[in-house]
Amino acid sequence: MALNNNAKIKNIPYAYITFRVIHITFSIYITLKGIMLIKGTFKEPQKRTLLEIMQIVFIGFLLIVMLFVTIENIIHTASYINKIF
């Protein structure tokens, strides 16, 4: 059902562009917050358990994936705007 609604949004250029811009902004915000969280984690040296180290590595991996998704969304939106206008 959600895919069907997204397909309907894509038929209205201004709604689709607005949707993508909001998605890009939110993705950049989440990525920056995650980077600041990991940066703050290493400010004070302390002994960490294996589980904590695995969590930090997992969050770092997810941030890299989120960064690639954000870049892909920016490229997709720019090419969509170029195609429409």
Side-chain angles (χ1 to χ4, degrees), residues 39-53:
K39 183 179 169 188
T41 302
F42 292 111
K43 274 192 176 181
E44 50 197 48
Q46 59 182 341
K47 183 77 174 146
R48 291 187 173 80
T49 64
L50 181 63
L51 183 62
E52 290 173 334
I53 293 171

Side-chain angles (χ1 to χ4, degrees), residues 10-60:
K10 201 168 186 177
N11 291 336
I12 307 168
Y14 291 109
Y16 186 67
I17 291 170
T18 304
F19 168 75
R20 294 298 258 185
V21 167
I22 290 171
H23 186 264
I24 290 168
T25 305
F26 185 69
S27 296
I28 291 172
Y29 174 76
I30 294 294
T31 304
L32 289 176
K33 281 298 204 181
I35 290 171
M36 292 170 78
L37 175 72
I38 289 181
K39 183 179 169 188
T41 302
F42 292 111
K43 274 192 176 181
E44 50 197 48
Q46 59 182 341
K47 183 77 174 146
R48 291 187 173 80
T49 64
L50 181 63
L51 183 62
E52 290 173 334
I53 293 171
M54 287 174 55
Q55 287 175 344
I56 293 170
V57 169
F58 184 69
I59 294 296

